[in-house]
Amino acid sequence: MKKHASPARPRPPLLIVGAGRLGGALALSLSARRWPVRVLSRTEAGRGRLKALGLKPATDKDVHQARVCLLCVPDSAVPEVAQEMDRQLGRGAALVHCAGALSLDALGTPKGRPLGSFHPLCAVSDPRDTLAGHTVALSTRSRTLKTVLRGMADDLDLHVLEVPESQRAAYHAGAVLSAGGVVALLSAAVEALGCAGIPADEALTALLPLTRSAVRGMEARGLAGGLTGPIARGDAGIVARHLASLPPDAAVLYRLLSQRALLLAGPRLAPEARTALAELLAAPSSVKRPA
C-alpha cells in the first residue's frame, strides 16, 4: 500500500525581538529550518548585527503579520517590551519570553493573546552557537501555542522540559550553576594553579580538557559514578593539604563543594574515611595556611 506522507509541521511567521546572542542564535537556527523569521531591533548596533548575520529585519508589516513573538531581551526589560509589543502585534498573536527565571506573569495580562516561555538551556556566547542537542524549558497554558513551541523545539533538536510556573527561580538557579557557575568555579581553579606559579592562560588551557573529561564521566556514569578526586577516594589527608594551600575565598568554595562531593561519594566510602572527611570539612578553623 502507498504510504501517506505525514502532514507538514506548521511554521507560523515568527518575530524575534532582540538582536543579541540568543535572539541571533534562534533566528539563525530557525531560519535554517525553514521557519519564516524576522528580527526586530530597536538600536543601530542591533541592526548592524542583523546585517552581519544575514538576518532579515522586521518591517511594520512583518510585526503585524507575526503569529508568535519571541522576546529575547534582558529579564528586566520583558514587562515593558511585552506591553509595547502588545500594542503593535496583530490580533491573537502569541507573546513568548525567553527568560529562564520569569513566570508568564512577566508578560502582563494582554487580552486575547496566548502567553508562553521558551528558554533554551544553552550557554550562548555567540549568535552562531548551535542549540542542537540541548534542552529547552517550555511553559504555556495554550494548547495551540504549545504545539508551535514544541515544533520549534523539535526542529532545533531540543529536548523539552516543562517547568512549574511557581518554581521558575529554583529551575533557573540550577541552570545558572551548571553554566555561569562552572565558569566561576574554573576561575577559582585557575587562581589555585596561580598559587603554584602557573600563568592564568596556561592554567585554563590545562584545566578545560580536565573539565570536559569530568563531564564525559557524568554523561557515561551519572553524578556519583563520574566523581573523581580525593573525596571519591576517601583521602582526608590530601583534602586537608588542599585547604591549607588555597587563598581564603577559594578554600571556602573548595570546602562547600567537597561537602557536596561527600554526599555523592559517602555510600561507597569506608565509615572511618567518611567520618574523617566529614569532621575535616565541618571545621574550617582547624585548617590553617602555611606561614
Side-chain angles (χ1 to χ4, degrees):
M1 292 179 61
K2 184 178 179 181
K3 290 186 177 181
H4 294 286
S6 58
R9 177 177 290 137
R11 294 182 174 92
L14 301 179
L15 175 68
I16 293 178
V17 180
R21 292 172 294 184
L22 179 58
L26 284 170
L28 285 172
S29 296
L30 288 166
S31 296
R33 289 155 181 81
R34 304 189 307 280
W35 284 75
V37 178
R38 297 292 184 271
V39 185
L40 180 64
S41 177
R42 295 172 295 173
T43 68
E44 191 62 36
R47 289 188 285 272
R49 286 193 294 270
L50 294 182
K51 184 176 181 180
L53 293 170
L55 293 169
K56 298 178 179 179
T59 64
D60 290 343
K61 182 179 179 181
D62 294 326
V63 172
H64 188 74
Q65 291 183 340
R67 302 313 302 151
V68 177
C69 175
L70 297 171
L71 304 183
C72 296
V73 299
D75 290 17
S76 59
V78 167
E80 178 184 350
V81 177
Q83 287 185 1
E84 180 181 336
M85 297 315 301
D86 180 42
R87 294 190 292 267
Q88 297 181 39
L89 291 167
R91 183 177 180 181
L95 266 175
V96 179
H97 71 62
C98 297
L102 301 183
S103 71
L104 299 183
D105 292 340
L107 295 168
T109 55
K111 294 182 179 179
R113 294 200 187 283
L115 305 179
S117 64
F118 188 90
H119 178 243
L121 275 78
C122 180
V124 180
S125 56
D126 186 273
R128 298 174 182 84
D129 288 349
T130 181
L131 302 174
H134 292 82
T135 292
V136 63
L138 297 187
S139 181
T140 181
R141 302 182 186 96
S142 165
R143 290 185 180 181
T144 301
L145 180 57
K146 180 179 287 189
T147 298
V148 173
L149 296 180
R150 280 187 167 271
M152 287 169 49
D154 288 344
D155 280 350
L156 294 173
D157 191 24
L158 291 169
H159 172 72
V160 172
L161 189 68
E162 295 195 26
V163 179
E165 283 291 287
S166 60
Q167 301 299 325
R168 295 288 297 193
Y171 146 78
H172 193 242
V176 168
L177 282 171
S178 70
V182 172
V183 176
L185 174 60
L186 276 173
S187 76
V190 167
E191 181 184 3
L193 266 65
C195 293
I198 301 171
D201 57 344
E202 290 186 30
L204 186 59
T205 297
L207 292 172
L208 285 174
L210 177 59
T211 301
R212 286 193 286 267
S213 69
V215 171
R216 289 195 299 270
M218 288 186 288
E219 288 177 332
R221 290 171 286 279
L223 289 171
L227 184 67
T228 61
I231 297 292
R233 297 190 297 270
D235 196 334
I238 292 295
V239 172
R241 290 171 62 186
H242 287 174
L243 288 168
S245 71
L246 292 171
D249 57 338
V252 169
L253 182 58
Y254 185 102
R255 186 182 302 278
L256 291 173
L257 290 172
S258 294
Q259 290 171 345
R260 298 287 304 190
L262 186 57
L263 293 175
L264 293 172
R268 65 175 187 258
L269 294 177
E272 59 272 17
R274 185 166 62 247
T275 299
L277 282 167
E279 291 177 352
L280 172 65
L281 296 172
S285 61
S286 66
V287 178
K288 299 184 183 299
R289 295 191 69 196

